[in-house]
Amino acid sequence: PCAYRDLAVEQAKSDVPGALVTAEQIENRMQKAFAYSEIAMIQAASGDTAGARGTIQRAKETAVGDGGGADSYALCRIAKAQAAMGDLTAAKAILEGVDSSDEGLCDIAREQAQSGDIVGAKATASQIGKGLWRAIAYSKVAGMQAKAGDLAGAQRTLNVAVQHALKVGNSSD
């Protein structure tokens, strides 16, 4: 937990400029990038797409730092923010070469399903390497299908999730 990160995220709900100032105070690169990505999602949800894009850029610059390796968790959070804005190409691009991109792809699949792109969400879920994250992604898609009233489709997708979950622990998944 990072108090400044949590404060910045809460602050963004009513005061984005102040939240950005608070986030700037965070010393840990990963926590700062995380805060920026969460602030960007809040901006996007409120309709401030231009502001969200600028904040995502700050998050990327922070995650990469001064020539050091980027933090994979921070990059997954940034990808999630980009997916929440509907910029799926950029979201997937930021995950290229990231060792632990499965969580980020899971978030992208959820965002796609939430926006109604069930086919795209399933395609993204199928790209996830680890069975656990794949199962989680398919279950999130199933939840969105059920929420939209497609109970038969949700059941089929949930069956796929269960099949992947059952494989966890039996292999490298």
Side-chain angles (χ1 to χ4, degrees):
C2 174
Y4 274 122
R5 181 200 70 207
D6 296 342
L7 176 62
V9 172
E10 282 302 311
Q11 190 176 15
K13 295 174 183 174
S14 61
D15 177 18
V16 170
L20 292 170
V21 170
T22 300
E24 190 59 38
Q25 313 278 327
I26 300 170
E27 293 179 15
N28 179 287
R29 256 186 340 159
M30 182 194 75
Q31 297 294 338
K32 184 183 287 192
F34 180 101
Y36 283 142
S37 65
E38 293 293 314
I39 293 167
M41 285 192 284
I42 291 168
Q43 288 174 293
S46 73
D48 182 10
T49 306
R53 288 190 197 290
T55 304
I56 284 173
Q57 185 58 40
R58 275 181 160 178
K60 286 181 190 176
E61 290 168 1
T62 300
V64 173
D66 299 326
D71 181 87
S72 61
Y73 182 71
L75 292 176
C76 286
R77 300 302 298 181
I78 295 165
K80 179 180 179 180
Q82 288 178 305
M85 290 177 34
D87 195 350
L88 300 174
T89 303
K92 288 181 179 180
I94 200 164
L95 294 176
E96 288 178 12
V98 174
D99 290 336
S100 56
S101 63
D102 290 344
E103 182 179 358
L105 288 171
C106 182
D107 286 336
I108 291 170
R110 184 184 60 76
E111 292 295 335
Q112 286 176 288
Q114 198 166 11
S115 71
D117 181 10
I118 300 300
V119 172
K122 288 179 182 180
T124 299
S126 73
Q127 296 170 1
I128 296 172
K130 294 284 185 189
L132 175 62
W133 285 111
R134 202 175 317 120
I136 292 169
Y138 278 115
S139 69
K140 300 277 186 192
V141 174
M144 292 300 168
Q145 286 176 286
K147 211 176 203 182
D150 180 10
L151 299 181
Q155 184 61 56
R156 286 189 300 274
T157 305
L158 189 58
N159 288 340
V160 172
V162 168
Q163 292 305 309
H164 286 294
L166 290 172
K167 294 177 187 174
V168 175
N170 294 332
S171 66
S172 62
D173 279 343

